[in-house]
Amino acid sequence: MLFPKEMSEVELIVPSKDLVAVTKALSGYGVFHQVDSAHLGQQEGLGQNSWQEKAGALSAMERRIQAIMQNVGLPEDRPAKAGIESVVDLEAIQPSVNRIEAEVKETSDQLSAERKRLELLESQLHQLEPIADVKVEVGALRKSSYMHSILGVIPAANISRLRTSLLRVPHVFFVLREDAQKPVVWILGPKSNSDVLERAAKSAYLNPLGLPDEFSGTPEQITAMLRRDIESSRQKISSLEADLVKFGNTYKAELQKLLWDVHTSRVMADAIVRFGQLRHTYVVVGWVPTADLPDLTARLKEASREILIETMRTSRSGHHSNVPVALTENKWLKPIQMLVGTYGHPSYGELDPTLLMAFTFPLLYGAMFGDLGQGIVLFILGILMHNKIIMKGMQSLGLLIAYCGASAAVFGYLYGSIFGFEGHLVEEYLHFHFEPTWISPMENILSILSIAIDAGIIILLFAFLLGMVNNIRGRDWAHLLFGHTGITAFVFYICFLAMLGGFLGDTALAPRVAVAINSLPLPFTTLLAVFGLAVMFGGFLRNMVEGHTLIEGRGVGGFMMFLIQSLMDLIETVISMLSNTLSFIRVGAFAVAHGGLSLAIFSLAGHEPDLGFWITIVIGNLFIIGFEGLIVGIQTMRLHYYEILGKFFHGGGMQFEPLKLTPSKEEASS
Amino acid sequence: MASGVSGYAAISTRVRAMYSDLLTPQEITRLSDSPDFASLVSALKNTPYGKHISGLKDTDLTPRRVILQVRQRLADSYSSVVQQAPEQTRPLIKQMYRYFEVGNLKAVLRSIQTVSSWNSDVAAWDRVREVLFPFGSFASIPAQAMVDSGNIASAVDLLKGTPYEATMSFAMKRFSTEQNLFPLEVALDLAYWRGLWGEIKNLTGRDREMGAKLVGSLLDLNNLMWVIRYKIYHKLSEEELINYTLPFGYRVKDEDVRAIAAGSDIAAVVSRIYPGIADVNALLERPQSGLPKLEHQLKQQVMKQCVSAFIGYPFHIGLPLAYLILSDFEVQDLVVLIEAKSSKLKDEDFRPLLLKTSMIQ
């Protein structure tokens, strides 16, 4: 749960005779992420291209069958009895496919030729319709001695630009047909400007009408002739389509079986192409979630008695950019996974921050929006959304709102706040006793701010530690020692907190954690100086550990520039540590602001508990839930993305994409 | 306002976080100081691009592969922004992202046109795929099938059902008579920017205002460079210049484009629109070297607009748009650096081409 699923690398040595059965087992259950191992095979003399050729031939055959099915209007459904027998013998099915194709082809070719003819006729009719009532010989337009005429279709978006481009040329411009797809325009100008008109028309992508020279007479006469041809063409098409439907009914079962056999064979052949071929065996490499390994191993042994299976659990330590990452699926954590996912996909070995965020997100939200009544309203709203009773399609968000609402209700109980009523107001208006069980933010402003910073410091220290855990697991020693979230930075942060504790001393705002650290008998000033230097020259020290060029970009600006850059790194680190720490003050500030906003509502409502008072309180509460609830959500997200996740989470993992013959595991086993 | 806040809460936070991950001018300078390509790649591994590059094996560390990985980060940013953007703004972001697909489409068409001159030992697709932007699941063009088809007409036939079908059906008539990709590429560019501007017009309020400002600035840059290049290099006529440009933008107005098309002094028009750009006359005197410099300065103007979007009220589409534009410019800088270091160019030859300088903070 804390980490992506543990993966095992699987290497198989498969006897040639069991190749297909093993491939079937591997591709049928959706747990095997294949790695291309073709390079592990021997290079010559084994006919290694035969599977590649077979995969190509199967793919071509699959396309042919699909084309036939498309022609006869059959959907590409699975046959009633869809099993995975073996890789089909193309030569065996070739005669069946050829026979059906030949029968269908003649009709289908006639149909497609007739459709093209119909399209042409309709296009010609479409072009002529806008000028159907113009009593002019079409041929005369082409043969005018003084006027240059262009009649054609143009992209609708280009019409106004074409008009603009002709502003300085005498012309007449008609849009004969307003059509979003293919408007027809007619430009007429003096013959002396024909070159300008042609250039403008061409650059506006105006395509002159393609009426054949044999068309003569007025547009009305031509359109009447075209309509007759179109009618006869449509009848011919209907008859050909009926013939194809008959073919479809006759060959439905046969075609569906052929397609299924060829499709599964093609998927298996594609997989085999990426196996390494030896003289009598094949080498197969891939990744399987360790938990699924026993099941897969049993199936593989069932498929081949002589198969050699070597599995290696992949430790999560070290750098494993090549290991696919499969995350644990848990419907209760889905909204949190969604939040993490927008930041990045965890890499293998890296801590999956979902569980941590599942704890801190509602916690920080509740601390900022602590109100028993409003929290319960949010909780109910979230449950209704999650169960698709309202706002369907937002189930995940509903669950997140429910978590945050529950946390807000708990903090409301601790703060003694219910629908904005606090302290004596509860007794006065709601007639029951409700005291803060922990602290009232409005009455202890500095204390709640200090507690917020304390909580922030603890979360940041924890995030630093998680960052170090990730570095250790990734064996990234340079960053573990001298990275921005490494040991040096961590100790420097501790010293920095001690200084902060010492500086704020016994003031009410002083974070207790910082004061406690300062009280430890350690020479923090000296440590701060030493680790400050280590932070300052972190880049240099990291390069030293990793064996890289010590100073990047050396020679530019000389040693002084390097010193200045290092000093700037130190200043940046100090500023970021201070801002990261103080950033959590917003948690306390929002808890106080929540009380303040409620007071503002009470000021508007007045003192008398009449109808107006209660209406104002209800509207005010709805406003707080909607407006403040949203702002607090943004702040919580901000704290996680900026201050917490960045300390230890990098993302960038490769997704687990298992080999699948069928869409799901369930289907495969059915 | 409430709808703006609710719609943009998550994306504004995320974009601000991603914005803080963009390289600073100082980091770009540090990368430029790398003595060679290997050091540059090593330095890049310590930047947010590291996780994209570290997956490459040593044998794959070629400039093209590294550029592909750098671009992959931009593709990831687009995917992330598209997924989180409010519903009504997604068509705009998706259309903006299509810029890279239009680039891919042009590259595919060019490859088909020139494939006969290539060494036949390497399959055409294997050569082409390396230079394509990693568009991922958003891709609508069947690039490989187009390359494999071997001729422009068959390749364009494969665009049926894609957003490019209508544009290409008009432009293909010209290609079939001229046998030149110029009309196809111009038609694609114009359709792309018209589509983008149309998406902005579909927005309302502050989204529309910020969209027009940022996308309009980009459009200004393109429109202005088109009209100047077509005029100087292609010697096109006034009516062609007008038809090959667009009548909208942020600062560049239709009157400006038409004035240049009609023969007005280009430098005077550019100086009037961008008083901050010095010595336009001198730049245009030697267009071969001057026009890239002018384009460089115009891009920096766009960057300034983008940086300013992060100041003030944050709940609008301006932040994601500005971030994506800045990311694209950053990638352009990195491509310059990778190509410069792998070709061992001198500092003075590539440093002036970098966009992110201390001027842009």
Side-chain angles (χ1 to χ4, degrees):
Chain A
M1 203 65 153
L2 283 172
F3 295 92
K5 282 183 189 174
E6 190 188 48
M7 302 297 288
S8 289
E9 188 173 9
V10 179
E11 280 184 27
L12 310 173
I13 306 290
V14 185
S16 298
K17 66 183 176 65
D18 297 328
L19 178 66
V20 174
V22 168
T23 311
K24 197 171 112 183
L26 286 175
S27 51
Y29 301 96
V31 294
F32 181 74
H33 179 108
Q34 189 184 7
V35 173
D36 192 342
S37 50
H39 63 283
L40 297 174
Q42 291 181 9
Q43 297 300 304
E44 288 171 10
L46 293 173
Q48 66 273 25
N49 289 330
S50 66
W51 275 104
Q52 203 143 16
E53 283 162 13
K54 200 174 274 185
L58 283 164
S59 175
M61 180 61 80
E62 190 179 359
R63 280 201 299 273
R64 271 176 72 190
I65 300 173
Q66 282 169 329
I68 299 172
M69 291 176 84
Q70 211 171 356
N71 281 335
V72 297
L74 279 179
E76 292 174 18
D77 295 336
R78 291 171 60 180
K81 287 183 182 174
I84 309 162
E85 298 305 328
S86 178
V87 174
V88 289
D89 180 359
L90 276 174
E91 285 189 7
I93 62 166
Q94 191 96 24
S96 305
V97 176
N98 287 348
R99 172 177 46 84
I100 301 174
E101 193 177 50
E103 281 189 50
V104 172
K105 195 171 182 301
E106 193 184 341
T107 315
S108 136
D109 284 351
Q110 279 178 23
L111 180 64
S112 94
E114 197 55 44
R115 278 186 179 144
K116 271 191 186 157
R117 183 170 168 260
L118 177 65
E119 200 179 323
L120 179 69
L121 292 169
E122 282 179 333
S123 153
Q124 290 168 341
L125 179 68
H126 204 50
Q127 291 169 12
L128 279 172
E129 268 173 348
I131 52 169
D133 53 352
V134 180
K135 305 286 182 205
V136 55
E137 278 275 328
V138 170
L141 286 176
R142 299 192 192 113
K143 295 165 195 160
S144 167
S145 305
Y146 304 104
M147 302 301 287
H148 186 76
S149 160
I150 307 172
L151 176 68
V153 288
I154 179 173
N158 291 5
I159 293 179
S160 80
R161 209 65 186 142
L162 175 58
R163 280 181 196 272
T164 309
S165 72
L166 290 171
L167 279 181
R168 284 147 57 106
V169 183
H171 72 282
V172 187
F173 194 111
F174 298 106
V175 179
L176 297 177
R177 191 180 64 227
E178 305 269 3
D179 181 324
Q181 297 299 319
K182 290 186 172 177
V184 178
V185 298
W186 183 24
I187 308 168
L188 201 62
K191 202 92 178 171
S192 56
N193 282 336
S194 60
D195 54 341
V196 179
L197 293 171
E198 283 294 341
R199 267 203 307 271
K202 192 175 81 170
S203 58
Y205 295 89
L206 189 155
N207 291 332
L209 288 190
L211 290 179
D213 286 344
E214 65 268 20
F215 279 4
S216 58
T218 62
E220 193 181 2
Q221 290 164 336
I222 300 172
T223 50
M225 186 186 77
L226 284 172
R227 284 204 175 93
R228 279 196 302 275
D229 288 352
I230 285 171
E231 191 47 44
S232 102
S233 173
R234 280 188 182 143
Q235 281 171 4
K236 196 169 176 188
I237 286 172
S238 300
S239 139
L240 289 167
E241 279 173 345
D243 290 347
L244 284 176
V245 170
K246 272 185 212 158
F247 281 126
N249 291 334
T250 313
Y251 297 119
K252 183 178 176 183
E254 193 176 353
L255 281 170
Q256 281 181 340
K257 178 157 187 345
L258 281 170
L259 181 66
W260 172 253
D261 289 347
V262 173
H263 167 75
T264 51
S265 302
R266 198 260 306 154
V267 172
M268 287 199 283
D270 280 344
I272 293 171
V273 165
R274 297 197 289 155
F275 294 172
Q277 187 181 2
L278 302 173
R279 191 157 296 276
H280 302 294
T281 54
Y282 284 81
V283 183
V284 184
V285 182
W287 296 92
V288 179
T290 305
D292 292 315
L293 198 54
D295 188 31
L296 183 70
T297 310
R299 288 178 193 282
L300 288 172
K301 293 216 163 136
E302 216 171 276
S304 168
R305 286 184 184 176
E306 292 154 44
I307 189 170
L308 294 177
I309 305 174
E310 190 174 342
T311 60
M312 280 164 286
R313 281 187 168 196
T314 303
S315 128
R316 290 197 178 95
S317 58
H319 186 64
H320 295 295
S321 60
N322 61 332
V323 183
V325 178
L327 297 178
T328 311
E329 285 175 13
N330 182 320
K331 69 171 182 172
W332 303 109
L333 290 177
K334 210 172 166 192
I336 308 291
Q337 271 175 342
M338 190 179 73
L339 286 173
V340 174
T342 58
Y343 192 90
H345 191 75
S347 52
Y348 190 71
E350 190 178 35
L351 198 115
D352 178 3
T354 306
L355 210 58
L356 173 77
M357 207 160 155
F359 172 71
T360 53
F361 197 92
L363 180 83
L364 292 176
Y365 187 96
M368 286 193 261
F369 193 70
D371 188 294
L372 180 60
Q374 291 164 1
I376 290 171
V377 171
L378 272 184
F379 177 76
I380 293 170
L381 179 74
I383 293 294
L384 291 177
M385 283 167 74
H386 180 61
N387 290 304
K388 299 187 209 171
I389 295 167
I390 56 168
M391 299 164 111
K392 289 174 186 169
M394 302 180 86
Q395 293 96 300
S396 285
L397 181 65
L399 202 54
L400 184 66
I401 291 175
Y403 293 158
C404 291
S407 171
V410 171
F411 273 93
Y413 177 71
L414 297 173
Y415 292 164
S417 175
I418 177 166
F419 288 119
F421 292 91
E422 289 184 20
H424 67 94
L425 293 175
V426 182
E427 282 208 24
E428 201 175 319
Y429 292 102
L430 302 178
H431 311 297
F432 66 89
H433 190 71
F434 189 53
E435 282 288 316
T437 46
W438 177 39
I439 189 172
S440 167
M442 282 298 284
E443 288 168 17
N444 303 280
I445 294 177
L446 289 180
S447 301
I448 195 82
L449 296 182
S450 158
I451 292 168
I453 301 176
D454 275 328
I457 290 172
I458 291 167
I459 291 175
L460 286 177
L461 289 175
F462 191 57
F464 264 108
L465 292 173
L466 293 178
M468 285 190 259
V469 169
N470 272 338
N471 284 331
I472 292 170
R473 299 182 74 93
R475 298 183 194 279
D476 188 351
W477 309 122
H479 280 89
L480 173 68
L481 292 171
F482 303 112
H484 293 297
T485 55
I487 292 172
T488 313
F490 179 71
V491 179
F492 183 70
Y493 183 54
I494 299 271
C495 298
F496 169 81
L497 289 175
M499 293 292 124
L500 189 69
F503 177 69
L504 293 173
D506 50 5
T507 59
L509 195 60
R512 287 174 203 174
V513 176
V515 173
I517 293 172
N518 185 49
S519 65
L520 295 172
L522 287 169
F524 284 113
T525 316
T526 315
L527 286 173
L528 188 76
V530 172
F531 283 91
L533 280 173
V535 168
M536 186 171 159
F537 296 110
F540 175 85
L541 294 166
R542 277 198 304 274
N543 287 340
M544 198 161 77
V545 174
E546 286 174 343
H548 292 158
T549 311
L550 290 182
I551 302 172
E552 281 163 17
R554 64 185 166 190
V556 179
F559 186 67
M560 276 313 289
M561 183 55 80
F562 165 69
L563 273 186
I564 291 169
Q565 280 180 358
S566 303
L567 185 64
M568 292 311 292
D569 279 348
L570 178 65
I571 293 171
E572 199 184 320
T573 306
V574 172
I575 291 171
S576 93
M577 281 178 173
L578 186 65
S579 66
N580 284 174
T581 307
L582 294 184
S583 194
F584 282 87
I585 210 167
R586 78 187 67 217
V587 177
F590 269 93
V592 175
H594 180 74
L597 203 55
S598 302
L599 278 184
I601 302 293
F602 280 104
S603 310
L604 289 173
H607 295 289
E608 290 303 316
D610 51 14
L611 183 64
F613 173 87
W614 288 110
I615 290 175
T616 313
I617 293 295
V618 169
I619 294 174
N621 265 282
L622 289 176
F623 174 73
I624 291 175
I625 291 171
F627 185 70
E628 198 196 328
L630 188 71
I631 302 287
V632 166
I634 296 170
Q635 295 302 331
T636 314
M637 235 180 325
R638 189 206 174 282
L639 281 172
H640 282 85
Y641 284 165
Y642 272 83
E643 326 295 357
I644 304 175
L645 290 186
K647 292 274 178 296
F648 66 95
F649 181 58
H650 295 101
M654 177 169 64
Q655 278 191 320
F656 177 64
E657 287 169 350
L659 203 57
K660 276 183 187 170
L661 203 56
T662 49
S664 71
K665 206 172 171 178
E666 291 73 32
E667 274 186 63
S669 55
S670 65
Chain B
M1 182 181 143
S3 67
V5 173
S6 62
Y8 286 104
I11 192 173
S12 293
T13 316
R14 179 78 181 117
V15 163
R16 275 191 183 279
M18 296 198 294
Y19 177 66
S20 67
D21 259 359
L22 287 178
L23 300 177
T24 61
Q26 290 75 22
E27 283 172 310
I28 292 279
T29 308
R30 265 185 239 170
L31 291 172
S32 338
D33 292 342
S34 308
D36 51 31
F37 174 65
S39 321
L40 174 68
V41 173
S42 160
L44 266 176
K45 284 182 179 171
N46 293 322
T47 69
Y49 290 88
K51 66 181 179 189
H52 287 87
I53 296 170
S54 55
L56 288 179
K57 293 175 195 162
D58 286 350
T59 49
D60 288 342
L61 279 175
T62 61
R64 277 192 180 174
R65 292 303 301 269
V66 176
I67 288 173
L68 190 71
Q69 291 305 108
V70 165
R71 285 183 173 150
Q72 184 60 54
R73 183 159 186 260
L74 180 59
D76 292 349
S77 299
Y78 264 99
S79 307
S80 171
V81 170
V82 167
Q83 279 165 17
Q84 292 175 61
E87 194 69 40
Q88 74 277 13
T89 62
R90 281 186 199 163
L92 169 65
I93 311 270
K94 284 182 182 168
Q95 174 64 14
M96 195 157 146
Y97 193 17
R98 291 230 169 274
Y99 179 78
F100 301 99
E101 191 171 55
V102 170
N104 282 355
L105 184 48
K106 288 185 196 171
V108 164
L109 294 174
R110 283 177 201 171
S111 74
I112 297 170
Q113 191 82 326
T114 52
V115 75
S116 56
S117 61
W118 289 357
N119 177 358
S120 57
D121 290 350
V122 184
W125 170 244
D126 288 336
R127 296 189 59 164
V128 176
R129 69 196 301 183
E130 285 202 330
V131 298
L132 298 185
F133 185 87
F135 209 65
S137 58
F138 286 90
S140 62
I141 60 167
Q144 184 173 2
M146 288 176 76
V147 173
D148 291 345
S149 73
N151 70 76
I152 299 285
S154 311
V156 170
D157 269 348
L158 293 170
L159 291 174
K160 273 186 185 144
T162 70
Y164 311 101
E165 180 185 355
T167 306
M168 297 303 265
S169 73
F170 278 101
M172 270 310 282
K173 295 263 167 54
R174 280 193 58 191
F175 175 80
S176 53
T177 53
E178 297 170 31
Q179 291 298 308
N180 186 330
L181 289 178
F182 178 78
L184 296 186
E185 295 194 359
V186 172
L188 283 171
D189 282 334
L190 292 175
Y192 166 77
W193 287 102
R194 278 203 181 104
L196 194 57
W197 197 250
E199 294 300 347
I200 285 169
K201 294 292 164 201
N202 289 338
L203 300 178
T204 54
R206 203 181 280 259
D207 282 343
R208 184 167 171 165
E209 184 193 319
M210 288 306 293
K213 186 175 173 184
L214 296 172
V215 173
S217 301
L218 264 184
L219 180 52
D220 288 346
L221 156 71
N222 282 281
N223 220 6
L224 204 53
M225 292 313 297
W226 285 339
V227 71
I228 297 174
R229 286 202 172 109
Y230 294 155
K231 176 110 188 148
I232 294 176
Y233 293 139
H234 298 255
K235 314 267 185 236
L236 296 185
S237 64
E238 180 183 354
E239 56 279 2
E240 287 171 308
L241 286 174
I242 292 173
N243 278 314
Y244 290 154
T245 50
L246 293 166
F248 34 71
Y250 181 59
R251 289 166 78 171
V252 178
K253 307 291 176 215
D254 190 26
E255 302 86 79
D256 302 320
V257 174
R258 279 160 55 190
I260 294 174
S264 297
D265 178 31
I266 300 174
V269 175
V270 175
S271 301
R272 191 178 68 239
I273 306 168
Y274 297 100
I277 298 182
D279 285 337
V280 182
N281 259 322
L283 293 175
L284 293 172
E285 267 173 25
R286 285 179 299 279
Q288 206 71 34
S289 60
L291 284 185
K293 285 178 187 164
L294 177 63
E295 185 172 7
H296 186 269
Q297 294 197 44
L298 291 174
K299 280 184 179 174
Q300 289 192 321
Q301 298 281 334
V302 179
M303 288 177 83
K304 283 181 185 166
Q305 294 278 17
C306 292
V307 171
S308 71
F310 282 86
I311 300 163
Y313 180 75
F315 301 113
H316 51 70
I317 195 62
L319 263 69
L321 289 181
Y323 166 74
L324 292 171
I325 296 170
L326 287 171
S327 297
D328 181 21
F329 285 155
E330 179 172 292
V331 168
Q332 288 181 27
D333 271 355
L334 292 177
V335 171
V336 166
L337 281 178
I338 292 165
E339 287 182 345
K341 295 294 171 186
S342 59
S343 325
K344 300 190 172 74
L345 285 188
K346 289 179 193 161
D347 272 15
E348 59 270 26
D349 291 335
F350 74 83
R351 280 192 198 259
L353 302 176
L354 296 175
L355 292 166
K356 199 172 250 186
T357 64
S358 50
M359 284 171 60
I360 314 289
Q361 289 279 18

